[in-house]
Each structure stands twice: as C-alpha cells, then as structure tokens.
Amino acid sequence: MSKRYVHTCVRVLDPDASVAFYEALGYERRGKLQFETAYNIYMGLPGDADTLELTVNIGREEPYDLGDGYNHIAVTVDDLDELLTELAKIGVEPEKPPFAPGGRPEIGRICFVQDPDGYRIELIDGGEFKTPQDA
C-alpha cells in the first residue's frame, strides 16, 4: 500500500533553463544529488516537500522523446494572468489563452505551458483547487 506521493522526475537538457522555468512557477531549488553519469536537482513549492526531480544525464545532447503517454503535471497559481505575463518575459507562451475546460466555468480557468524540454504544465487559476467530479 502506498503511503505518500514523493516526486515527479523529468529529464532535462539545460538545467539552468529548467530551474529558471520552474522558479518562475514558484518552485524553490532545494538540493542536488550527484551520481557518476547523472545528477538530480530537487525542487518544491513553498511549504511542500521536494516533489520535482530534474534529472540531468551528463553528456546528453539530443532532446528526450516525451512519448504519447505523458500529458502534464498541474499546479495551482494565485493569478494566472499575472503569471503568464511573467512567463512571457522569459519567452514562455501558453499553448492557447486561458479557458474553462469543457466550457464549464464552474471548474475555473486553466492553460498549458511547456517547460524548456517540452513537458506540459497545467496552470490552474485561483490558488485553490478541488478535483471536479460529476459523480
């Protein structure tokens, strides 16, 4: 039986660009763990554990194949429009303007951005989020 969610790992090519992107989302850099051929950079949101692991494989130059199984990770943000303005300053644009999923305004507004390696991140407006369910 699982007891606790620990982290999500994404492999990155440019650790500086990736750290800057996730810091712009509000993550804090927490630490680094060095291995022979790779290292991990651990990040977390304020008040939360180190839930994001950026893995850098030393010498890797080709972009990673993200496959068609991965879709996104999601984070809440206090003010989606303000964050998108800040992200634009570092060259990050949303896939499309913020929207209510399925045309359902009771769910709230979201949008998707991509990190420097192409991983999709869902930004959920309003800071609080309860997973919507119809049944």
Side-chain angles (χ1 to χ4, degrees), residues 2 15-16 21 27-28 31 41 45 68 72 76 90 93 98 105-106 111-113 124:
S2 299
D16 293 332
F21 172 82
Y27 281 82
E28 303 168 333
I41 299 169
L45 293 168
D68 61 0
H72 67 273
T76 61
I90 61 169
E93 296 292 332
E106 74 275 14
C111 77
F112 291 88
V113 295
I124 303 170

Side-chain angles (χ1 to χ4, degrees), residues 2-9 27 30 42-45 48-53:
S2 299
K3 298 185 98 174
R4 182 174 70 89
Y5 169 76
V6 177
H7 66 251
T8 296
C9 172
Y27 281 82
R30 303 281 176 76
Y42 294 99
M43 302 188 78
L45 293 168
D48 200 1
D50 304 345
T51 55
L52 181 61
E53 175 184 282

